[in-house]
Amino acid sequence: MTSTAPPGQTPVNERTSPSQAVGGPTPLEEYEASSSTRPPWLLTMTEVKLLGVAGVGFFLDAYDLFIINPVTTMLQYRLYGGNKLPPNLEGFVKAGANIGSVIGQFSFGYAADALGRKAVYGKELMLILLATVLTMTTPTGSLSPDNSLIYLGIFRILLGVGVGGDYPMSASVTSDRANLRKRGTLLAFIFSNQGWGSLIGSLVTIIVLLCYKHVMLDEGKVSKVDGVWRIIVGISLIPGFATLYQRLTMPESQRYKDAVQAEKNRDRDLEKEIRKLEKNQNVETQAMGAHAQPESEDSSSTDSPIGEEKRGEKETAAASADVPEEEQAPEVIATKKDKAHIGEFLAYFSEWRHAKILIGTSVCWFLLDIAFYGINLNQNVVLQQIHFDGSNETEPWTKLFRVSTGGIIITALGFVPGYYASIFFIEILGRKWIQIQGFLLAALFLGILAGRFTELGTVGFIVCFALLQFFFNFGANTTTYCYPAEVFPTRFRAFAHGISAAAGKAGAIISALAFNELSSSVGTPVVLWIFFGVCILGALFTLLLPEVKGRDPDLVYAQEIREDRIRRREMEGK
């Protein structure tokens, strides 16, 4: 989008910085240019606390993703005498959390924009905790095997509602509090908790199995596996309860409170409003413990872990009279997020310039999750290729332990390193470049696996698969989460993020339900070739997206509003 602007001001487009919009450096940019040279990934203690609270949902998401594979294997011995689970019920149990996630992403995303972050944040974690407890109560001893799986799958759907709700909530809460220099890094840090969730899930499984080794292996009490999977599921309650209070008591961000005050402000001077917006953003920077003195972890020592937003409560109150939206300053409309109803959302995205971005974020996430979850929800195929599927083991405990060991190999080699590569390079390379190269390199390694599936040796397969996982995570798996939190204006951010995330989970559901059936009918290499094509499409759809490094979507939206008003006045003048 290129546009005209009043004399002395540069039009705001997707490549225009806030400084260009006002004809000179903003206070935030001046600070960022002159302050400490510490890289964005070196965090202050306040930021660490924020990320610890906001990241727990993604930790639990990945923890659940990992443990459902060994848990379903354990249920084979508890419910079916070691035989495989019915394919339809196994698919239901594995896809249950993703089905619930779609519901949670839509509902919590809309609620966060309509009601405010504070009113909603923490409720999704309460659902996760409740569903986890109910999952542990699965009455395997009193229900039939099939009904036990149905019971488990139903409460995994509820678990998914909470996990899905965490996507737009944590993304919006973090993006609202982040300055431009660190925004992508903070979001990537939050999402990296998926890597730790997978790693801890595999470690917990191994440790609990070791504790049960004597009773299961030496004494032959295989039924005790019922206790193993319940303990593994229940341990996820610890980080959830540890952060629940902080979520429920987190105040609104300073940006939110200023936006509500500004909604009643009659002052419509453009330059004054833009500078006020940027000044508020600078306040956020100081509140996050990143002031130019240089950055000190103790600079907000008087604040609560997430309560630094209270610094701005004594700002000058705006005029109390209500002002019609048509008469409000563009910057007011761009940043307010109370009562962003569905009609406003639809009006905004009815324009192609906005709709194409939502299509891009949603389709890219959808395509990514088809391949990513198709691989990671069906790791039995991978474990078989690296000889860690336990197929040669006769004892149930030995098989379970070997499967868990193979899982930790996969996680350690690809998951965690990929996430941290994104953290270190996201502010250097930008989101668009990382996403495109991630899709293309994932396609490359999927093509190698598909073409040489039966010829690769164990070492070759492990190396190729580890690189595939690395470029999933140093690529689209991270950036598809970051993009919606950075590209959409505050007013529509949470709901747009929820829609994008729900599209991703829809891809995960399709892949989880179809992978096994397709593999048995056409062969695993053909399925991998399908994933190859999906990744190529993902790289192409990324071209719909602007680069968001250093881009303030609220200023872009404010400029669009101002241009529309000028255009309407010119039309009326004619």
Side-chain angles (χ1 to χ4, degrees):
M1 180 190 72
T2 303
S3 59
T4 60
Q9 291 183 350
T10 303
V12 177
N13 57 39
E14 63 188 34
R15 291 177 293 275
T16 301
S17 70
S19 64
Q20 293 173 306
V22 296
T26 68
L28 175 59
E29 289 176 327
E30 289 175 347
Y31 152 69
E32 291 177 345
S34 62
S35 65
S36 156
T37 58
R38 291 176 62 179
W41 42 266
L42 287 180
L43 305 180
T44 66
M45 184 55 67
T46 303
E47 290 167 336
V48 170
K49 291 175 181 177
L50 171 63
L51 298 185
V53 173
V56 70
F58 292 96
F59 176 92
L60 296 176
D61 181 26
Y63 185 95
D64 171 74
L65 169 67
F66 172 82
I67 65 171
I68 193 59
N69 286 299
V71 164
T72 53
T73 304
M74 294 174 192
L75 289 173
Q76 293 178 16
Y77 294 101
R78 179 64 182 91
L79 299 175
Y80 295 92
N83 298 316
K84 291 185 177 182
L85 305 181
N88 58 333
L89 291 178
E90 182 179 10
F92 174 63
V93 170
K94 288 186 175 181
N98 287 323
I99 294 171
S101 288
V102 174
I103 300 170
Q105 285 156 347
F106 270 114
S107 57
F108 279 90
Y110 176 73
D113 280 343
L115 305 176
R117 295 9 171 186
K118 177 177 172 60
V120 181
Y121 202 40
K123 311 304 187 294
E124 75 293 332
L125 185 55
M126 294 173 68
L127 272 180
I128 293 173
L129 296 173
L130 174 64
T132 301
V133 172
L134 292 173
T135 297
M136 295 168 61
T137 64
T138 302
T140 53
S142 56
L143 289 180
S144 67
D146 288 0
N147 286 338
S148 293
L149 291 182
I150 294 172
Y151 182 102
L152 177 63
I154 289 172
F155 288 116
R156 277 182 55 77
I157 292 176
L158 182 62
L159 173 69
V161 174
V163 168
D166 194 74
Y167 276 70
M169 290 306 308
S170 291
S172 300
V173 164
T174 303
S175 189
D176 288 350
R177 289 166 167 77
N179 64 64
L180 295 180
R181 189 174 76 93
K182 281 191 171 185
R183 186 179 60 196
T185 302
L186 294 177
L187 290 166
F189 259 118
I190 285 180
F191 201 68
S192 70
N193 281 278
Q194 280 199 338
W196 291 111
S198 298
L199 184 61
I200 297 301
S202 59
L203 284 173
V204 166
T205 303
I206 288 175
I207 291 170
V208 176
L209 280 171
L210 286 173
C211 293
Y212 274 77
K213 180 178 180 180
H214 175 71
V215 69
M216 288 182 62
L217 187 60
D218 298 337
E219 297 182 6
K221 297 180 180 178
V222 179
S223 63
K224 294 296 182 180
V225 75
D226 207 33
V228 176
W229 76 262
R230 293 177 199 272
I231 293 172
I232 294 170
V233 170
I235 285 176
S236 66
L237 294 171
I238 297 173
F241 277 113
T243 55
L244 179 60
Y245 176 79
Q246 292 284 2
R247 288 198 176 199
L248 292 175
T249 58
M250 181 183 292
E252 294 288 5
S253 68
Q254 184 61 43
R255 188 178 182 89
Y256 179 92
K257 291 185 286 189
D258 285 350
V260 173
Q261 292 288 352
E263 186 180 359
K264 299 179 181 180
N265 196 336
R266 291 183 179 273
D267 188 352
R268 290 173 287 168
D269 181 78
L270 179 64
E271 184 169 338
K272 178 179 177 181
E273 291 296 336
I274 290 179
R275 291 188 182 280
K276 180 178 179 181
L277 177 62
E278 291 166 345
K279 180 180 178 182
N280 292 341
Q281 201 168 38
N282 196 21
V283 170
E284 286 294 333
T285 304
Q286 298 172 17
M288 287 298 296
H291 198 271
Q293 54 179 355
E295 292 181 25
S296 170
E297 294 185 356
D298 297 325
S299 61
S300 56
S301 58
T302 59
D303 295 332
S304 62
I306 314 299
E308 68 277 352
E309 299 83 4
K310 294 182 179 180
R311 294 175 181 270
E313 289 183 348
K314 295 183 180 181
E315 292 287 316
T316 303
S320 59
D322 292 332
V323 181
E325 185 167 291
E326 181 61 28
E327 299 181 9
Q328 294 175 8
E331 293 66 47
V332 173
I333 300 171
T335 58
K336 70 177 184 179
K337 55 178 171 282
D338 57 322
K339 300 181 180 179
H341 294 301
I342 192 67
E344 298 168 311
F345 183 91
L346 293 176
Y348 177 79
F349 285 104
S350 65
E351 300 182 41
W352 172 246
R353 59 182 174 178
H354 304 143
K356 73 174 183 178
I357 297 177
L358 184 59
I359 291 170
T361 58
S362 299
V363 173
C364 286
W365 209 334
F366 172 79
L367 295 171
L368 177 276
D369 277 10
I370 287 177
F372 181 78
Y373 282 90
I375 293 289
N376 288 290
L377 284 177
N378 298 280
Q379 288 187 358
N380 56 307
V381 173
V382 178
L383 295 174
Q384 183 178 5
Q385 291 300 115
I386 64 175
H387 307 296
F388 273 89
D389 64 332
S391 58
N392 296 325
E393 306 294 342
T394 57
E395 292 292 338
W397 184 92
T398 307
K399 178 178 181 178
L400 290 170
F401 189 81
R402 189 160 183 82
V403 168
S404 300
T405 304
I408 200 170
I409 291 173
I410 293 171
T411 302
L413 287 178
F415 264 60
V416 175
Y419 286 118
Y420 279 85
S422 292
I423 289 170
F424 294 144
F425 291 106
I426 195 167
E427 303 294 357
I428 299 172
L429 302 175
R431 291 54 157 170
K432 191 169 187 174
W433 191 93
I434 290 177
Q435 183 157 307
I436 290 175
Q437 66 86 30
F439 268 128
L440 293 178
L441 287 171
L444 170 65
F445 292 109
L446 281 166
I448 294 173
L449 288 173
R452 310 275 295 178
F453 190 76
T454 58
E455 301 172 26
L456 283 173
T458 300
V459 174
F461 193 94
I462 291 176
V463 170
C464 192
F465 187 80
L467 288 171
L468 170 64
Q469 293 284 42
F470 178 85
F471 285 107
F472 268 142
N473 297 308
F474 178 41
N477 193 40
T478 298
T479 54
T480 50
Y481 169 76
C482 296
Y483 248 119
E486 297 190 85
V487 75
F488 297 114
T490 304
R491 197 173 186 185
F492 309 113
R493 178 176 296 143
F495 195 23
H497 195 286
I499 290 173
S500 303
K505 289 301 182 184
I509 293 168
I510 292 171
S511 198
L513 295 177
F515 183 91
N516 286 328
E517 185 173 345
L518 278 175
S519 293
S520 60
S521 60
V522 300
T524 300
V526 174
V527 177
L528 295 177
W529 279 121
I530 293 173
F531 293 163
F532 169 87
V534 160
C535 288
I536 297 296
L537 281 176
L540 293 175
F541 272 95
T542 303
L543 298 176
L544 291 174
L545 302 174
E547 176 54 63
V548 293
K549 183 178 71 171
R551 180 183 190 268
D552 188 333
D554 289 332
L555 289 181
V556 173
Y557 182 33
Q559 182 68 19
E560 292 173 353
I561 294 172
R562 188 169 63 84
E563 291 167 358
D564 289 342
R565 289 182 180 178
I566 292 173
R567 192 178 300 112
R568 284 198 300 271
R569 288 167 186 166
E570 290 176 348
M571 294 289 291
E572 291 171 359
K574 293 180 180 179

